[in-house]
Amino acid sequence: MNSISVRALLVRGMLAGLAAGLVALVVAYLLGEPRVDSAISYEDGHSHEHGAELVSRTMQSTAGLATGVLIYGVALGGIAALAVCVALGRIGRFGPRATAALVSLGALVAVYLVPFFKYPANPPSVGDPETIGKRTTLYFLMVVLSVLLAVGAVILGKRLAPRLGNWNATVAASVAFIAAVGLAYAFLPSVNEVPADFPATLLWQFRLAALTIQAALWGSFGLLFGHFAERLLSPRPIAVETAAHASAADDTTGTRASAPAAR
């Protein structure tokens, strides 16, 4: 793939990430923000210490949320577009649309789901402020491990495919990935700072909303970027069809024009 195509895919990936960010923003505003408000109400009712509010809650839930989600979408869209450039033609005989869908699914699993099951998202009122550095470090360590293990699983599957076949190689690589993730889960320390009296329903709804936001982001990105990549890299069927119609029209015109001369 030449540099022009990579640059064009990068731009389209960032645009698709922006559009996916808009979808995720709507989901976050409708599903996530009400749970955040409920968690803050719980914190206000159980804490007598109220510091100065540097940014109002209204600003956080509107402009702040939009800025964070959209920048996140654009950044991940660009990174995912580069990942599609690398994966295209190297993970199987998949076209741009299918490759984009597979990369998006893999990113959802490796970047979010695997770390989430070890260190699930918590509302703002959950967690000790003194351990936020430790919790952040553990979470990002799990993200890095998950991504590296996913890449290793893909490489393993490619190397096993000539001997085992595509299906068996995929199953073997998946089992190896799950086993390695299980070991990471076992060796990394757990974090459980949810207060005993915190509403279980609210915690479940918040985590489900967080999952839905990520699924909306990566799902919409995969569909949009797959469409953009397909149009950029595989425009030939439309061009060939147009040329065929034009050639047929020229042949018909030529035949009609030569008919009087033959008479």
Side-chain angles (χ1 to χ4, degrees), residues 105-193:
L105 178 61
L108 175 62
V109 172
V111 176
Y112 190 77
L113 288 182
V114 170
F116 177 87
F117 289 134
K118 177 63 177 178
Y119 302 113
N122 288 324
S125 58
V126 174
D128 184 358
E130 296 182 357
T131 64
I132 187 171
K134 175 186 175 182
R135 287 184 280 121
T136 302
T137 300
L138 288 173
Y139 180 81
F140 281 106
L141 176 60
M142 191 67 240
V143 172
V144 172
L145 285 175
S146 177
V147 172
L148 292 177
L149 291 174
V151 173
V154 173
I155 295 174
L156 177 63
K158 288 289 293 181
R159 293 187 175 182
L160 293 177
R163 286 180 290 174
L164 302 180
N166 292 332
W167 176 259
N168 291 331
T170 302
V171 172
S174 300
V175 171
F177 174 73
I178 294 173
V181 169
L183 289 175
Y185 280 6
F187 283 100
L188 288 175
S190 299
V191 176
N192 184 14
E193 298 180 349

Side-chain angles (χ1 to χ4, degrees), residues 88 91 93-104 226 230:
L88 191 60
I91 60 173
R93 297 179 179 179
F94 299 107
R97 192 186 297 267
T99 302
L102 289 173
V103 169
S104 298
E230 187 82 18

Side-chain angles (χ1 to χ4, degrees), residues 213-236:
I213 293 167
Q214 291 292 325
L217 176 70
W218 286 108
S220 55
F221 172 80
L223 293 175
L224 289 170
F225 183 68
H227 173 71
F228 293 157
E230 187 82 18
R231 293 191 61 180
L232 176 67
L233 300 178
S234 302
R236 288 173 293 179

